[in-house]
Amino acid sequence: MLNIGCHLSSSKGFTAMARNVLKINADTFQFFTRNPQGGRAKEIDVKDVAEFNNIAKRHNFAKFVAHAPYTLNPCSDNPSTREFAEMVFVDDLHRMEFVPGNYYNFHPGSHVGQGVEQGIAMISDLLNKILQPSQSTMVLLETMSGKGSEVGASFEELQQIMSRVKLKDKLGVCLDTCHVYSAGYDIVNNLDAVLTEFDKIIGLKNLKAVHLNDSKMPFASHKDRHEKIGQGTIGKEAIIRFINHEALKNIPFILETPNDLNGWADEIKMLQEAYKG
């Protein structure tokens, strides 16, 4: 079965997101835990969460992905920015326990001129500080495109973060197709080689989710510009090969394409029809 969904608005709560999942014939989804530019998160509505959990169980939803705000930067050179990152991380992981057993994805951060090594050290230090043995949520490091001073554009950088984290069972990776293609991993012409390299450096067992996007920008551009499936430089055929790859079975695929609910429904229908699992 193809586990696929899209990025939904959380403004009306978990139950509303669950109903939209069913409306577009999906079985998973992603949402921002709060405004993507930061700020306070909405209070948890216990009744809403209980209804969501019932719907998700009844319809066999796959694991979903909660996305941290873009402003979360644990390797900033600004102490207040790092403090904000820690506060948001701790609060979000606490809130995720109302919907246990799912994923929390974040962009590793930008070292803003301090150097990749320093950035890696600061990211892993924060993870070691906040990850708890009792948590049911797995935290995912997202693969990045490599624009500016981003950390995580190479598999090696993600592996270096992971190698320093003590609670390794609480940590995984979310691979973004647009990002890795822009970072220089040729998933169009050499998908097998890219996945073999990922397995050698990070381990495919640690790949827990995929952001499924086409790209507006050319290969190795180091630009993060998502496109609708089949309308970008990756192309429909390569995306279809990706979802059908044996190494990627049973992983939730999340569309972050520039679309609305009806557009995502069309993309999901097309991909489900192309799926050979």
Side-chain angles (χ1 to χ4, degrees):
M1 179 178 180
L2 179 64
N3 300 132
I4 192 165
C6 62
H7 188 104
L8 298 173
S9 168
S10 61
S11 62
K12 295 183 179 179
F14 276 97
T15 302
M17 288 192 288
R19 289 172 179 157
N20 279 331
V21 169
L22 298 176
K23 186 181 297 184
I24 61 176
N25 197 29
D27 68 350
T28 185
F29 64 102
Q30 178 178 271
F31 69 99
F32 280 118
T33 58
R34 59 193 70 216
N35 186 301
Q37 300 305 322
R40 287 185 173 274
K42 290 178 62 177
E43 292 296 322
I44 292 288
D45 182 332
V46 177
K47 290 183 179 180
D48 173 57
V49 169
E51 185 174 355
F52 165 81
N53 286 332
N54 286 332
I55 294 172
K57 183 177 181 180
R58 193 159 66 245
H59 292 276
N60 296 312
F61 282 11
K63 292 179 183 292
F64 68 75
V65 181
H67 200 303
Y70 294 136
T71 46
L72 193 154
N73 185 7
C75 57
S76 171
D77 60 350
N78 186 325
S80 64
T81 301
R82 296 196 302 272
E83 290 169 7
F84 172 79
E86 181 177 347
M87 180 275 291
V88 168
F89 230 124
V90 170
D91 184 48
D92 281 353
L93 290 181
H94 169 73
R95 295 158 59 84
M96 285 294 290
E97 291 306 308
F98 285 91
V99 281
N102 290 290
Y103 298 136
Y104 180 78
N105 178 75
F106 80 108
H107 294 182
S110 296
H111 62 73
V112 292
Q114 300 174 98
V116 173
E117 286 298 322
Q118 178 67 4
I120 288 169
M122 296 168 85
I123 296 163
S124 56
D125 285 349
L126 178 62
L127 290 168
N128 280 326
K129 186 174 182 180
I130 64 175
L131 295 181
Q132 301 296 322
S134 59
Q135 72 184 60
S136 67
T137 302
M138 179 172 286
V139 172
L140 305 183
L141 295 157
E142 183 172 341
T143 59
M144 303 308 296
S145 63
K147 67 179 186 293
S149 61
E150 283 180 340
V151 179
S154 73
F155 298 158
E156 287 84 358
E157 289 177 10
L158 295 178
Q159 190 279 330
Q160 288 173 47
I161 295 169
M162 298 175 78
S163 68
R164 300 184 186 201
V165 174
K166 297 174 183 177
L167 296 178
K168 291 178 171 41
D169 62 323
K170 305 298 182 184
L171 195 61
V173 171
C174 175
L175 186 150
D176 187 300
T177 53
C178 171
H179 294 179
V180 294
Y181 190 66
S182 292
Y185 292 97
D186 192 355
I187 60 173
V188 174
N189 300 301
N190 294 297
L191 178 57
D192 283 340
V194 172
L195 293 177
T196 296
E197 184 175 357
F198 185 100
D199 191 35
K200 180 179 179 181
I201 296 169
I202 295 176
L204 282 168
K205 66 179 182 180
N206 294 308
L207 179 56
K208 302 299 182 181
V210 169
H211 286 163
L212 196 66
N213 305 300
D214 212 322
S215 175
K216 291 180 182 291
M217 306 302 291
F219 175 66
S221 64
H222 300 289
K223 302 290 185 182
D224 179 6
R225 297 287 304 280
H226 297 190
E227 181 56 284
K228 297 174 184 178
I229 303 300
Q231 296 186 25
T233 57
I234 296 175
K236 179 180 173 180
E237 290 184 6
I239 293 291
I240 289 173
R241 285 196 300 273
F242 194 90
I243 63 171
N244 280 298
H245 198 284
E246 186 64 31
L248 303 173
K249 299 291 184 183
N250 303 316
I251 293 175
F253 292 94
I254 305 294
L255 292 164
E256 293 181 321
T257 52
N259 243 321
D260 56 16
L261 201 62
N262 290 332
W264 284 317
D266 290 341
E267 285 184 325
I268 288 169
K269 183 175 185 292
M270 179 269 290
L271 293 167
Q272 287 172 332
E273 290 174 349
Y275 184 63
K276 300 174 183 178

